Amino acid sequence: LAQGLWLEARFSSAIFVASSAMTVLKRPCSADTSVPDAKIRKIVGCDQGGHMYECSRYVWWDKRAHCFTEQDRKFSSKRMALLYLAKMNSASLEDFLKETGKQWADVCSDTGVYALSPNVPFDFDEFLELPDEVLEDYGKEVGNTLNVRKAPRGTIYRYQAVALATTEVQELCQILES
């Protein structure tokens, strides 16, 4: 492709944008209206803006002889990232439990140094009602349970707030007019 020439092609509801420098997969906008507006508001929360939230996952196997950290999803609100981390870290712990033949109660406690609160696997409707502070603590604690139990392989998800330092319209006008 010539420099600067962009091609767009649609493949199975995803849009691929190609250039000579990169190929990017864009997620299509979903027209699914099956989730009520009230539930959407609970998922998004009331974010103050100015940040996006990048999630990463730390993956290891063979008793951490091999490991890497990779970027995962990005979210426009902190609450969205916290719900995602709670879900994914809970799923990672459940995978470990299946591999070891143990039950949740065998490795998780609601008292002591490594207490989980709530001390249950992620449940979408129940966790949607939790405040951000509880979601954040749960996501960290359930992920840390894999460390405490010395899982030979697993995945732990984390998030980081990234400031969106953008140029305001007025500042751009000053630059363009000078």
Side-chain angles (χ1 to χ4, degrees), residues 43-47 51-53 75-82:
I43 293 169
V44 174
C46 54
D47 211 32
H51 289 86
M52 76 169 177
Y53 300 86
F75 296 96
S76 59
S77 78
K78 181 178 181 179
R79 183 161 179 87
M80 291 170 65
L82 293 175

Side-chain angles (χ1 to χ4, degrees), residues 36-176:
D37 287 343
K39 193 174 243 186
I40 295 291
R41 285 190 297 275
K42 287 182 180 183
I43 293 169
V44 174
C46 54
D47 211 32
Q48 298 300 317
H51 289 86
M52 76 169 177
Y53 300 86
E54 291 183 333
C55 295
S56 61
R57 57 182 169 227
Y58 172 71
V59 182
W60 75 92
W61 63 98
D62 196 18
K63 298 182 181 180
R64 299 193 194 237
H66 308 282
C67 61
F68 62 91
T69 301
E70 64 183 353
Q71 293 298 308
D72 193 39
R73 296 183 182 267
K74 298 176 184 178
F75 296 96
S76 59
S77 78
K78 181 178 181 179
R79 183 161 179 87
M80 291 170 65
L82 293 175
L83 284 164
Y84 180 72
L85 264 63
K87 165 68 177 180
M88 300 309 289
N89 282 340
S90 179
S92 290
L93 180 56
E94 288 183 287
D95 290 344
F96 169 71
L97 295 174
K98 286 177 192 168
E99 289 174 12
T100 59
K102 295 182 180 180
Q103 299 296 314
W104 189 274
D106 297 336
V107 298
C108 300
S109 173
D110 51 5
T111 60
V113 177
Y114 303 111
L116 276 180
S117 179
N119 187 16
V120 294
F122 183 86
D123 177 87
F124 179 50
D125 291 323
E126 288 181 28
F127 277 61
L128 204 51
E129 301 301 324
L130 297 175
D132 289 358
E133 298 78 26
V134 173
L135 284 172
E136 187 163 11
D137 289 344
Y138 176 86
K140 288 178 187 175
E141 293 164 359
V142 77
N144 190 47
T145 302
L146 292 170
N147 294 326
V148 170
R149 297 300 174 172
K150 300 189 183 329
R153 66 185 183 102
T155 303
I156 297 177
Y157 292 77
R158 295 182 176 95
Y159 84 96
Q160 176 180 345
V162 178
L164 297 175
T166 60
T167 303
E168 297 295 324
V169 173
Q170 294 301 326
E171 184 180 351
L172 177 60
C173 287
Q174 289 174 350
I175 293 169
L176 297 175

